[in-house]
Amino acid sequence: MYTQGLDQKGQTSKPAAVEESAEQLAAFQARIDAEEKIEAKDWMPEAYRRTLVRQISQHAHSEIIGMQPEGNWLTRAPSLKRKAILLAKVQDEAGHGLYLYSAAETLGVSRDQMVADLLAGKAKYSSIFNYPTLTWADIGAIGWLVDGAAIMNQIPLCRCSYGPYARAMVRICKEESFHQRQGFEIMLELTRGSDEQKAMAQDALTRWWWPSLMMFGPSDKDSKHSAQSMAWKIKRFSNDELRQKFVDVTVPQAEFLGLKVPDDDLELDEASGHYRYGDIDWQEFYDVLAGNGPCNRQRMAKRQGAHDDGAWVREAAQAYAAKQAAKAA
Amino acid sequence: MNADEALLTYVLRVADNALITGQRMIERVAGEAELEEELANANFALDYIGQARMLYTYAGELEGEGRSEDDFAYLRDTQEFRNFLLAEQPNGHFGDAIVRQFLFESFYLLQLEALADSRDKRLAEIAARAEKEIRYHLRHAAQWLVRLGDGTDESHARVARSLAEQWRYTGEFFAGDEVDSILQSEFRGPDLDALREQWLANVTEVLEEATLAVPGETFMATGGRQGLHTEHLGFLIAEMQHLQRAYPGASW
């Protein structure tokens, strides 16, 4: 569903364990510049590998945690059709998590390790999922805005220099565009409905707009890893470029729905064709990132609880497999 | 009761089992320990919701009063639901969920196999489609039951307890009434006595592999077929129907 600016402030690369010669680095960069895909067994700089592990695993964790806010409305979906569509969407997210963990595993890190890092709070997931889904309209807003923002981020990732990630993203993007449409359709139905439903839709846009803009990550001037990721063609557009693209596409959609974007400074700049938007409250972004969003604790507690509840099941599966292996021997 | 009324009632019973089972599985979404189980659970729940939708739509056509799938799911009260008591029991732990799926699906698969051969063409088509899905679910549940039963002492004790708790709800599967008799005589529906025998044989085989004892004769709770449910169903229904009840007539 989502990637957020993964290049957060204050993260520094550790020195590579092995010596990387200038020739190796130059040859690697030449392959990147020639738009060749880097594959799992190819030589790559340690920092490239580490950047990808961080980005892909964060993306995978986001898919898994992202199931929670939407799952929150599955039992209450207002029709069987909506229930089935939402269920299929949430299931897709589990599937995306699975391919992304597999893509990250090609870089030499196990899924167990990645999950352990998530549970230990060492790995991040997209902050957007630390906001609550309070009404059914939030399910529409997530599909429309959050998946819409995710698509902006993810389409360029289909051309990412790392082959396994790029291929996983091709598949994921196809499903995401369906998710985005179902979200917009929920909003459309609500805005054509009763006054109460319209108010529900407006409230959802009001609450999800700014967090959606924050999904693109810090402003370019504060984004430390961007330049290197761009040079490696892991990233193709800057955070601010993608954010602008999202605003330009989404504002007319809000107008079509008859909803007001909660930004008094929003205006179309006729000369450039771009919408100018107001200042993002970056303090809120960093607060949520630091663990102080409305649902950070709840999301992690649920994942930790599920993991802990599975302990006896994992032990049983291992014990059974060992018994079977002993019988076969 | 005439044949048409019996068929409608029967279709609604099967639909209610599918919906309530699916709804309980949905409660587990995003809470599974392993990603593979998350995918399986969501996928199976989706199958159940799909089956419920086809069956409710058919029930609406049989009834001929313009009721939609959502009218049946969202606008009937708890006592109008006719699902088995087993389906509505709370999820409990992973082993409880596996045992419930295993016991119910061991029955449901046989029921669907029989219905796929029914004289009612539409019901037969729906059953044939559902049968393929449930065969796969049952294999998954049986495999897990064997792993848990023959896993560690703890897992064995846990699922033995789940089995003991839930066995009392299986008698209802075979407690036929006039509806079942008419379905069998007029539409070539399942023969419940034959199904019981087959069910017990299939269940016994898996339980033995799982090193679990087949529970002995015990009191069997019934009531689901008459709308006399356990206290658990009311909460499931209240949650599921919340938006439809809070905003009557709204379109979503």
Side-chain angles (χ1 to χ4, degrees):
Chain A
M1 140 150 339
Y2 113 102
T3 64
Q4 145 173 307
L6 299 142
D7 19 69
Q8 287 146 16
K9 280 169 94 174
Q11 291 192 356
T12 50
S13 300
K14 289 175 199 144
V18 285
E19 204 63 32
E20 292 169 351
S21 71
E23 289 78 13
Q24 279 175 311
L25 291 169
F28 180 79
Q29 190 62 48
R31 291 190 64 195
I32 299 276
D33 293 342
E35 296 286 338
E36 278 182 44
K37 286 282 178 264
I38 306 302
E39 296 299 335
K41 288 182 178 157
D42 296 349
W43 185 87
M44 63 186 79
E46 178 57 20
Y48 176 84
R49 193 190 67 80
R50 220 166 30 229
T51 298
L52 279 167
V53 167
R54 187 181 71 226
Q55 176 160 340
I56 301 171
S57 66
Q58 284 190 10
H59 190 168
H61 299 327
S62 301
E63 298 283 355
I64 303 310
I65 299 294
M67 296 172 72
Q68 290 186 34
E70 292 184 293
N72 185 40
W73 280 88
L74 271 173
T75 57
R76 293 174 290 172
S79 71
L80 293 181
K81 182 181 156 200
R82 292 280 177 218
K83 190 187 286 287
I85 293 172
L86 184 59
L87 188 49
K89 178 178 194 285
V90 174
Q91 190 199 1
D92 283 346
E93 280 149 16
H96 296 174
L98 203 57
Y99 339 133
L100 288 162
Y101 282 129
S102 301
E105 282 184 319
T106 64
L107 294 159
V109 54
S110 70
R111 199 209 302 179
D112 285 350
Q113 183 57 50
M114 290 183 268
V115 170
D117 286 348
L118 172 68
L119 295 177
K122 283 195 263 175
K124 299 282 185 202
Y125 55 89
S126 180
S127 288
I128 194 80
F129 302 121
N130 291 317
Y131 289 87
T133 50
L134 302 177
T135 73
W136 172 251
D138 290 12
I139 300 304
I142 287 185
W144 172 38
L145 301 173
V146 175
D147 291 322
I151 291 168
M152 291 292 167
N153 259 327
Q154 290 174 357
I155 296 270
L157 288 173
C158 298
R159 294 190 293 128
C160 165
S161 60
Y162 187 58
Y165 190 28
R167 289 189 290 274
M169 291 316 304
V170 170
R171 191 162 164 192
I172 289 172
C173 281
K174 283 184 190 156
E175 293 177 347
E176 291 293 354
S177 67
F178 154 76
H179 295 173
Q180 203 258 350
R181 277 204 305 279
Q182 70 83 37
F184 188 76
E185 204 195 82
I186 289 173
M187 297 304 278
L188 194 60
E189 192 81 33
L190 292 173
T191 53
R192 286 175 178 173
S194 66
D195 289 347
E196 287 161 314
Q197 287 175 302
K198 284 176 199 154
M200 209 183 264
Q202 179 60 59
D203 167 61
L205 172 59
T206 303
R207 282 184 289 110
W208 288 90
W209 174 256
W210 291 107
S212 299
L213 294 195
M214 293 174 198
M215 281 178 69
F216 296 93
S219 169
D220 294 350
K221 63 181 181 349
D222 297 319
S223 184
K224 285 192 172 169
H225 293 264
S226 280
Q228 181 60 74
S229 285
M230 302 263 273
W232 279 332
K233 298 190 179 174
I234 292 172
K235 203 176 164 93
R236 298 268 176 175
F237 298 97
S238 76
N239 294 352
D240 287 334
E241 283 169 340
L242 290 167
R243 190 168 12 247
Q244 184 65 55
K245 215 181 252 199
F246 174 76
V247 171
D248 289 343
V249 167
T250 310
V251 170
Q253 292 173 348
E255 284 168 1
F256 179 82
L257 291 171
L259 297 176
K260 187 184 180 312
V261 172
D263 178 356
D264 292 336
D265 297 327
L266 187 75
E267 60 177 351
L268 182 63
D269 174 21
E270 300 284 353
S272 65
H274 293 302
Y275 284 91
R276 297 288 159 228
Y277 52 90
D279 292 334
I280 292 172
D281 177 3
W282 290 112
Q283 191 54 49
E284 176 180 325
F285 176 78
Y286 290 114
D287 284 345
V288 177
L289 205 60
N292 297 317
C295 302
N296 299 57
R297 283 163 187 271
Q298 180 189 336
R299 301 286 184 248
M300 289 308 296
K302 173 142 182 164
R303 190 82 314 266
Q304 183 71 57
H307 183 78
D308 295 347
D309 288 346
W312 70 273
V313 177
R314 285 189 292 275
E315 286 161 15
Q318 280 166 5
Y320 176 77
K323 285 183 200 177
Q324 292 304 106
K327 274 185 202 166
Chain B
M1 180 179 290
N2 66 31
D4 290 346
E5 288 163 356
L7 181 61
L8 171 60
T9 304
Y10 192 91
V11 169
L12 281 173
R13 288 175 175 183
V14 181
D16 289 346
N17 277 337
L19 178 62
I20 303 304
T21 301
Q23 185 74 3
R24 282 292 186 220
M25 296 180 94
I26 282 172
E27 291 172 8
R28 298 183 63 88
V29 169
E32 293 286 350
E34 301 299 325
L35 201 42
E36 285 77 4
E37 291 311 306
E38 192 66 74
L39 275 162
N41 177 64
N43 190 21
F44 295 167
L46 197 54
D47 288 340
Y48 275 112
I49 299 305
Q51 291 166 19
R53 293 182 68 192
M54 289 189 286
L55 290 160
Y56 285 134
T57 299
Y58 184 38
E61 291 166 22
L62 287 170
E63 186 185 52
E65 289 177 14
R67 281 210 274 183
S68 69
E69 57 181 38
D70 288 335
D71 291 333
F72 287 111
Y74 290 90
L75 300 177
R76 286 182 303 155
D77 209 346
T78 309
Q79 292 199 334
E80 292 175 84
F81 280 80
R82 292 290 184 265
N83 56 281
F84 290 137
L85 300 179
L86 181 62
E88 72 204 41
Q89 298 310 304
N91 283 328
H93 58 60
F94 182 76
D96 290 328
I98 288 294
V99 168
R100 186 179 58 201
Q101 293 308 116
F102 171 71
L103 293 175
F104 171 63
E105 289 176 342
S106 293
F107 166 80
Y108 189 34
L109 180 63
L110 295 173
Q111 182 186 30
L112 291 170
E113 281 173 353
L115 291 174
D117 187 39
S118 161
R119 244 180 242 128
D120 185 76
K121 200 164 160 272
R122 186 75 179 282
L123 182 56
E125 282 168 7
I126 296 171
R129 186 169 157 182
E131 182 194 329
K132 292 192 189 84
E133 296 167 346
I134 300 303
R135 190 177 303 283
Y136 184 68
H137 298 196
L138 178 58
R139 193 162 70 204
H140 176 265
Q143 283 170 350
W144 266 113
L145 187 56
V146 170
R147 272 183 220 124
L148 298 176
D150 192 19
T152 59
D153 291 346
E154 182 187 2
S155 69
H156 180 90
R158 279 180 182 257
V159 287
R161 194 183 159 86
S162 309
L163 190 63
E165 289 293 320
Q166 296 184 36
W167 191 259
R168 58 170 33 227
Y169 295 114
T170 59
E172 194 176 29
F173 301 168
F174 309 103
D177 61 8
E178 192 186 358
V179 173
D180 294 289
S181 304
I182 295 174
L183 211 89
Q184 191 185 347
S185 60
E186 301 300 313
F187 299 100
R188 201 161 62 216
D191 171 350
L192 288 179
D193 290 334
L195 243 59
R196 185 208 306 263
E197 218 170 292
Q198 187 62 52
W199 178 84
L200 191 60
N202 294 352
V203 165
T204 300
E205 191 184 328
V206 175
L207 290 182
E208 279 174 1
E209 198 187 338
T211 70
L212 291 162
V214 178
E217 287 289 319
T218 180
F219 174 79
M220 289 292 177
T222 58
R225 297 278 119 161
Q226 292 75 45
L228 296 172
H229 292 279
T230 57
E231 287 180 347
H232 306 297
L233 185 63
F235 293 96
L236 180 153
I237 298 293
E239 182 174 332
M240 180 173 72
Q241 296 182 344
H242 154 66
L243 282 169
Q244 290 273 353
R245 300 294 191 180
Y247 302 96
S251 166
W252 304 89

